[in-house]
Every structure is written in C-alpha cells, then in structure tokens.
Amino acid sequence: MNGLKLLGLCALVWLTGCATVVDPVPAPPNTLEPTPGQQTGAVPRTQPAPSPVRPRASTPAVTGSVANGPVADYGFSPQADQRSSRAVASMEPPKDLWERIRRSYAMPDLDNDLVHDREQWYATRPDYIFRMTERSKKYLFYIVEELELRNMPTELALLPFVESAFNPQAVSSAKAAGMWQFMPATGRTFELKQNVFRDDRRDVLASTRAALDYLQKLYNMFGDWHLALAAYNWGEGSVGRAISKNQRAGLGTGYQDLTMPMETRMYVPKLQAIKNIVGQPDAFNSRLPDIGNHPYFDTVTIRRDMDVAIAAKLAEVPIDDFKALNPSINKPVIMAAGTPQILLPWDNAKVFQTNLDAYTGGRLASWTVWVAPTTMRPVDAAKKVGMGEAEFRSVNNIPPRMLIRPGSALLVPRAAHNEQEVTSQVADGGQVSLAPEIVLKKTIVHAVKGATVASVAAKYKVTVANVAQWNSVSASASFKAKQPVILFLPQSQASKAASSDRRAAEPAVRKTKAVAARPTAPVKKVRKKK
C-alpha cells in the first residue's frame, strides 16, 4: 500500500511538472516603429519576431500587459491595417482616466525636432497645460468611451487640446467652431445643424460623433493615422494632391515626406507632444488634474420650452457650468422641438428632474419665436413685438444699418397667455436673413428737353409715384428743359447722377466762356484830312 501511495505521489509530481513545461511563453513584443513615410502592416506569422525594443517614454509599459500584441482592428478595410503600439489591457482596472488613455495608445510615435520643440513649449507652460486639461474633465470620459466603442486609438481623445484647447465655444478666424473645430460646410456634410438657435458644431455629443466619423473616413482613405490627421487639418483633397505630386516625382508619400503648410506640418507634432506629456507628465514639468474613470455628465430629456437660466436653477448648477455642457444653445431659451435633450453633471440630472416635477414658479419659458411677415426696419419690428430697439437688436444679433427680410425667425418675449411651444420646423430650421439698409441722399438733377415724370423715374430706377411725390407734381406731368428735379437716391447712385448732370451742362458753359473770351478787332484811327 505504501508503495502504491509513493507511486501515485511521483505520478502527481511528474504531471505537475509537465503542466509547467508546456505552459506557453509569450513571444517578445514587437515594438519597432515604422520609418517615416513607410506604410506598416502585420508581421507575417512565417517571419521571426523582431528583437524587443525599449518602449518610448511617451508610451510607458503597463504592468501585466504585453506591448504590441495582435494588430489592432479599427473596424476599417483590411488594406488600411497598420502595426499598432496598443497594449493588451491589464487585468486590473485603470486607476483613473489618464491611465485608461495611456493603455490604449495605438498610433505610431513620431520623433523629430518639431515634436521636441512642442514638448519644450508645453513644458515651459505648466499652468497652461493644467488649465487646458482641467477644462477637459467635462468631456474626456465621453470621448474615450466613444473611441473604444469604435476601437480607435485613444490618442485621438487628445486632439481637441490641439484644435481648441478643449474650449467648445472656440471660433477660429476661418469660422471653424467647437472643440473639434468644424468649418460650416464640413459641419453640414456631417449633419451638424446650424441655425439661429443652435450650432451643433459646438454640441458635445454631436460634434464628437461627427469628428470620429470624419477621422474614420480619412483613415480609410489614406491607411495612415498621421496622414488622416493631416487631412483633418488641411483637407483630404490637399493631402491627396500632395501624395500624387510626390508619387510623380518618385518621392515618399508619408506624413514627413509631403510638402504642406506649416500649420499642418506642426499638427501631428503637437498631438505627439501632448501624448508624450500625458504619458509621463513628471518628465515634462507638468501636472494633470485628477479625472476619475467614470462619466461626468448624463443626458436629460426636455419636453417643454425652457429658459436657460431656469434650467440651470432647477439643476442647481452655475450658469457657466450649464453653458459649458450645452454650448450649442445660442439663445437664452431651450426649444424642446430643436433641443430635445440637455447635458447635466451626473448627480445633478436627478436633482433637475426632482425640482422640475415640483416646480410651481409659473411658466418655464419667457421667450418665443416671431416670424417677420415682410421686410422691416429693426425699430419697427421691435415696436411691433413690444421691445426696445437696443434689446431687440442684441438678442437677435442684428447689426446697425440692416433690414430684416421676410421669413426671419426672431426671438421675442412670450406673452403671458401664450402656452404654445415653438414648432420643430422653426426650432430646427430658423434663420435670420438681413439686407443692408439703403440710406437715400437728396439729389437735384436738371431735366432735359421733353422729360416726363415717367422718363426720369426710368432713368434713375425709381418709381413714378416717388418722383411725382418728391416734386409735388402728378404722375403724368412733364418737365421743362433745365428744370430742377428732386430725387432721393442711394449714395453711390446719387454721386453718379450729380456727375452726369454736371457733364450735361458743361458744353454750354464752355461755349459761353469761349464767346466771352474772344478778342475784339483793333479799331483803326482814321486821320481827317485838313
């Protein structure tokens, strides 16, 4: 019996050893970076794995992970796949959002003098870095979530630092707006509504969706993240033409090979510098704010028109924080038909709903929309809706010397008895159309022989009724030659009319002067004969 026990124990030890021996050993990680302009791809299984390379400082190794595991699948065409620097997720959850971002870095690193220049620039401005990253706290978790759902590199969550310093109200000199900086035309291409009441280029959810859609499209076009980012800044047409030019010249077609504007040349280095700083903030004299790995905001459905001030009060959040989460709202009122949901800090979303259910403070909206029936001066429109001209111009952004065209959707005070909500047609498509207010100048011209009220009106492009009224004559009256005729014309037309009238009178004047200046014949003295 003892011999059998001993035999069984030996067998157990032998089996345990076998299990240890056959436990697979992970292959050395492939961390080789592509050369500039080189398209990267998966290493064929038949080739030996490259030698391990120490990870860059910007992509710190994650404990319990293997850098550069299988090639990342971005959900795009197989031809567009590239080698990834993405690390396999650790079994432990990330301690904060910054660590979560670092773990899913997946873009090839760029290492050149421009990157070092931007690193130095940011490193000498730690307060700027902190303010910028502090501002991102409201939005960063949502962007990271959306990137991971699409299996896209988390470096892209840092792109708004480059575009707008994470300011959703930012507007460039070229009229790009929002934290992703969409131009008006590009915004419309990606279904971002832009009307007098809202601009979805500033909307946190809509603009992020559009930006990631656009970046996916660009990556599919070029198969390279650096080229995709260049196209996001410079335009896909410009990048495509630069690639074609280099191909014809037998040159490389990577990001660093192309001739491009300096702004685009610095674009990826800026993102790389920020990526490196987020990767190792201490190495760059930078401090990142604490950002928990959890949602910052929640969405709340709006079913009735509501003043922005009342919504912020019901949510018990400062008005500036409310506007920071809902930057697309252009007016002091939220129109439920056009903005069916708002964003609120996570805990305040429930507070809002509780306070709204118990609200007894009267109407929720003190503003509504009035559509101009005809061309009007702002002073007349303001009087019609019971507002002062200055307030009317201010709330509707009407500059001086402009007329309101018919069909313009204008914000006006809501009457006490008006419970009707703004319609979806107006809330979704409302626009204010303006025309220059023409200032008329009194001008006097001289009638030619046979001129009539009708012929003068036709010549100066005014109505017969106006010419008759200005000159206190009937519409069928005639003018005598050289009779002064009163007209009220736009400034430019008045100057031309006066100049033409002077030229018509000049020949007669010159003739009169010539006759007056003609010398008389000398008078000969006749001697009388004595």
Side-chain angles (χ1 to χ4, degrees):
M1 178 66 78
N2 289 337
L4 291 174
K5 289 183 178 179
L6 181 61
L7 182 61
L9 180 61
C10 292
L12 178 62
V13 170
W14 182 82
L15 290 171
T16 304
C18 288
T20 303
V21 170
V22 299
D23 187 30
V25 178
N30 167 29
T31 55
L32 289 178
E33 296 181 3
T35 56
Q38 177 183 358
Q39 294 294 330
T40 58
V43 179
R45 294 182 181 274
T46 57
Q47 294 182 1
S51 302
V53 178
R54 182 175 60 85
R56 282 177 49 84
S58 62
T59 312
V62 180
T63 305
S65 67
V66 180
N68 274 352
V71 175
D73 174 16
Y74 299 108
F76 309 139
S77 59
Q79 294 80 3
D81 284 343
Q82 65 179 29
R83 184 181 303 135
S84 163
S85 62
R86 179 176 298 216
V88 176
S90 170
M91 297 300 292
E92 297 181 1
K95 64 181 180 180
D96 59 20
L97 191 60
W98 298 117
E99 183 178 334
R100 181 177 176 181
I101 292 172
R102 296 181 195 115
R103 287 186 183 186
S104 294
Y105 278 173
M107 288 169 53
D109 283 320
L110 186 67
D111 187 7
N112 59 27
D113 291 341
L114 295 179
V115 174
H116 302 156
D117 174 79
R118 291 299 88 189
E119 287 175 342
Q120 183 178 7
W121 191 92
Y122 287 122
T124 57
R125 293 162 175 82
D127 292 342
Y128 172 74
I129 290 290
F130 186 81
R131 288 196 308 272
M132 185 168 61
T133 50
E134 179 73 20
R135 192 183 299 127
S136 73
K137 291 173 67 173
K138 296 179 175 66
Y139 321 109
L140 203 51
F141 178 88
Y142 175 78
I143 297 173
V144 172
E145 285 270 293
E146 291 299 304
L147 287 168
E148 290 183 346
L149 285 173
R150 298 168 182 243
N151 205 22
M152 295 172 72
T154 51
E155 291 98 321
L156 297 175
L158 309 177
L159 192 58
F161 287 123
V162 177
E163 285 288 347
S164 64
F166 260 103
N167 178 8
Q169 297 287 5
V171 180
S172 74
S173 58
K175 305 303 181 185
M179 63 183 177
W180 294 99
Q181 288 290 282
F182 273 96
M183 295 290 287
T186 311
R188 286 188 289 270
T189 298
F190 287 91
E191 300 179 349
L192 295 178
K193 295 178 183 177
Q194 300 164 61
N195 58 52
V196 69
F197 304 116
R198 64 177 292 116
D199 186 345
D200 279 350
R201 294 179 299 160
R202 297 187 176 97
D203 185 84
V204 177
L205 308 188
S207 67
T208 298
R209 184 267 309 158
L212 301 193
D213 285 350
Y214 192 21
L215 288 165
Q216 281 185 323
K217 173 189 173 183
L218 295 172
Y219 182 81
N220 274 334
M221 292 177 66
F222 299 107
D224 178 279
W225 277 117
H226 293 167
L227 291 176
L229 288 167
Y232 189 89
N233 175 259
W234 191 22
E236 60 261 42
S238 299
V239 172
R241 287 188 292 273
I243 290 175
S244 298
K245 180 180 178 181
N246 275 24
Q247 287 175 334
R248 290 192 298 269
L251 302 175
T253 57
Y255 174 77
Q256 298 191 84
D257 300 312
L258 303 182
T259 301
M260 57 183 65
M262 182 53 66
E263 178 185 336
T264 308
R265 172 65 61 208
M266 296 293 293
Y267 193 68
V268 175
K270 285 181 181 180
L271 181 61
Q272 182 70 54
I274 293 172
K275 170 184 175 178
N276 295 347
I277 291 170
V278 171
Q280 285 190 327
D282 292 341
F284 296 97
N285 190 34
S286 298
R287 179 170 61 96
L288 303 179
D290 294 331
I291 304 182
N293 187 28
H294 54 74
Y296 181 89
F297 58 75
D298 195 7
T299 57
V300 176
T301 300
I302 295 295
R303 294 182 172 85
R304 297 175 58 190
D305 295 352
M306 185 181 305
D307 287 353
V308 169
I310 291 179
K313 184 178 180 180
L314 292 174
E316 298 181 11
V317 298
I319 190 70
D320 289 342
D321 288 351
F322 182 91
K323 291 180 177 180
L325 284 175
N326 301 278
S328 64
I329 301 172
N330 290 337
K331 301 297 181 184
V333 64
I334 306 165
M335 297 172 191
T339 309
Q341 66 180 18
I342 58 174
L343 304 184
L344 293 173
W346 189 267
D347 293 334
N348 297 85
K350 294 181 179 179
V351 173
F352 172 86
Q353 195 59 55
T354 300
N355 289 341
L356 178 60
D357 294 341
Y359 183 71
T360 58
R363 60 183 182 177
L364 292 169
S366 59
W367 298 92
T368 189
V369 178
W370 173 73
V371 179
T374 185
T375 301
M376 304 179 73
R377 296 184 304 162
V379 63
D380 298 329
K383 184 177 180 180
K384 188 174 183 63
V385 299
M387 295 178 69
E389 182 184 358
E391 182 187 13
F392 180 80
R393 285 183 179 275
S394 175
V395 76
N396 290 290
N397 297 322
I398 301 175
R401 295 183 296 279
M402 298 297 286
L403 295 175
I404 301 167
R405 286 180 170 172
S408 294
L410 301 157
L411 203 65
V412 299
R414 184 188 293 255
H417 60 276
N418 185 1
E419 297 296 333
Q420 184 177 358
E421 311 291 357
V422 176
T423 65
S424 59
Q425 180 180 1
V426 173
D428 273 338
Q431 299 288 346
V432 173
S433 180
L434 303 175
E437 184 177 7
I438 300 174
V439 179
L440 301 179
K441 180 180 179 181
K442 183 178 179 180
T443 307
I444 297 178
V445 297
H446 294 84
V448 297
K449 184 178 180 180
T452 64
V453 170
S455 65
V456 171
K459 180 178 180 180
Y460 294 101
K461 296 181 175 60
V462 294
T463 65
V464 172
N466 280 342
V467 174
Q469 180 185 356
W470 295 332
N471 292 275
S472 301
V473 296
S474 68
S476 59
S478 299
F479 295 108
K480 296 178 181 179
K482 299 183 181 181
Q483 178 181 343
V485 179
I486 299 173
L487 300 172
F488 287 88
L489 304 174
Q491 180 67 45
S492 59
Q493 190 178 350
S495 300
K496 292 180 181 178
S499 176
S500 176
D501 191 59
R502 283 195 301 270
R503 285 197 302 270
E506 280 177 359
V509 172
R510 285 198 298 269
K511 185 176 180 180
T512 302
K513 288 183 177 180
V515 172
R518 185 182 300 165
T520 57
V523 178
K524 294 183 179 181
K525 293 182 179 181
V526 180
R527 289 185 179 183
K528 293 181 179 180
K529 292 182 179 181
K530 294 183 179 178

